[in-house]
Amino acid sequence: MAGVRTLSTEDLKAALSKGLDDFWAMPTHAIFLCLIYPIVGLFIARFTFGYEVLPLLFPLAGGFALLGPFAAIGLYELSRRREHGLDTTWSHAFDVLRSPNLGAIVMLGFLMVAVFLIWIAVAQAIYISQFGYGPPASARSFIDRVFTTPEGWRLILIGNGVGLLFAVTAMTLTVMSVPMLIDRQVSAATAIATSIRVVVANPVVMAMWGLIVAAGLVVGSIPLFFGLAVVMPVLGHATWHLYRRAVNADMFAPHEYREPSATHRVAADFPVSLFKRERD
């Protein structure tokens, strides 16, 4: 397995700083890739309110964060390219579709979708155990029941406790494995094992990283989920840099990417050119 390094809070600060730097260097690309996140968030909210499954709004929004590492795949690739001094036009975010590890990435994606669906089923079961099968009469009555009744407080405690277990599991399996599959020629099993080793070797630091991600997602979700269009790319880029600090993957061969003979500029590149800075 790849070597695992010991992390400190300074590594978290450095990863966030570099993530923010990547975002400013590639703002149009990052926002373009992550608009799907707030759009899906709004869809979730409309779905729950429109079809009287309001109790699932929080589990759906929180559970969707389990899939965050896959929403950030293109961001990892852009950070990887910028790190190597390669072209970072938006189309390169989709280079992962030609990755030799595409099968492993898809397999890991299916695994996390399964975790997401199990979480939704468990959240529904917890709600039914406290409030029964009947839907709430209104959003106001639902909020009152949750915050003013013993059943509601049990729902909060049990739901958040179980949700924490799902979140820890998802982070442990994917926080390093997805970036590693983008970066190196490794199997899904090796990438997952490496991710687990990083978390086990750095429990406190990785717990802090999980809290940072959770806080960022909450803050980004408050303004109708649109803040995620900034939060997600910054966290995505930062996760790449945290992976680079946590894993000594030099023993594995990197992916070989063939650069096109000529770079074609498109209209979508225009805003980014305003933010380009000279490399050190």
Side-chain angles (χ1 to χ4, degrees):
M1 293 187 206
V4 169
R5 300 188 181 102
T6 301
L7 299 174
S8 68
T9 54
E10 293 302 317
D11 292 301
L12 298 183
K13 293 178 183 178
L16 286 170
S17 177
K18 290 186 176 182
L20 186 61
D21 187 59
D22 280 354
F23 174 74
W24 283 117
M26 305 175 285
T28 300
H29 304 154
I31 293 176
F32 168 79
L33 288 169
C34 293
L35 277 179
I36 187 63
Y37 206 96
I39 288 173
V40 171
L42 287 175
F43 172 78
I44 289 173
R46 179 66 184 89
F47 173 80
T48 55
F49 282 106
Y51 291 89
E52 298 184 346
V53 284
L54 182 61
L56 288 181
L57 175 59
F58 180 75
L60 282 168
F64 187 65
L66 299 177
L67 306 178
F70 294 92
I73 283 178
L75 302 175
Y76 301 153
E77 174 60 13
L78 290 177
S79 287
R80 185 196 71 82
R81 294 184 64 84
R82 185 167 185 254
E83 183 179 294
H84 290 283
L86 303 174
D87 181 46
T88 56
T89 51
W90 68 269
S91 59
H92 286 297
F94 300 96
D95 284 355
V96 294
L97 297 176
R98 301 192 299 270
S99 170
N101 277 345
L102 181 60
I105 293 171
V106 171
M107 183 177 69
L108 189 55
F110 279 127
L111 173 62
M112 297 317 301
V113 168
V115 172
F116 171 78
L117 294 176
I118 293 171
W119 156 242
I120 296 302
V122 170
Q124 176 72 357
I126 293 172
Y127 174 81
I128 292 173
S129 71
Q130 300 302 315
F131 291 130
Y133 289 92
S138 65
R140 177 61 182 272
S141 67
F142 172 69
I143 293 174
D144 287 342
R145 291 180 70 187
V146 169
F147 290 103
T148 62
T149 67
E151 294 82 4
W153 284 106
R154 284 198 296 269
L155 177 69
I156 292 173
L157 293 175
I158 297 173
N160 281 284
V162 175
L164 178 62
L165 294 178
F166 275 89
V168 170
T169 299
M171 186 189 76
T172 301
L173 295 177
T174 62
V175 66
M176 297 294 151
S177 61
V178 180
M180 191 173 187
L181 288 172
I182 298 296
D183 185 41
R184 298 285 160 168
Q185 296 180 24
V186 296
S187 66
T190 297
I192 292 173
T194 301
S195 187
I196 294 172
R197 289 182 64 205
V198 168
V199 175
V200 171
N202 301 280
V204 175
V205 174
M206 295 309 297
M208 293 176 63
W209 178 247
L211 290 175
I212 290 171
V213 171
L217 293 178
V218 170
V219 171
S221 299
I222 291 174
L224 294 176
F225 296 95
F226 280 104
L228 295 175
V230 174
V231 172
M232 267 297 295
V234 171
L235 291 177
H237 291 306
T239 299
W240 167 263
H241 292 291
L242 187 62
Y243 152 74
R244 295 289 288 154
R245 286 175 169 267
V247 178
N248 178 18
D250 292 340
M251 64 185 68
F252 294 103
H255 289 312
E256 295 182 1
Y257 292 85
R258 295 182 179 179
E259 296 299 312
S261 56
T263 301
H264 299 285
R265 297 291 178 180
V266 295
D269 295 332
F270 166 69
V272 179
S273 63
L274 300 179
F275 293 89
K276 290 291 185 181
R277 297 181 296 181
E278 292 184 2
R279 306 185 193 281
D280 293 333

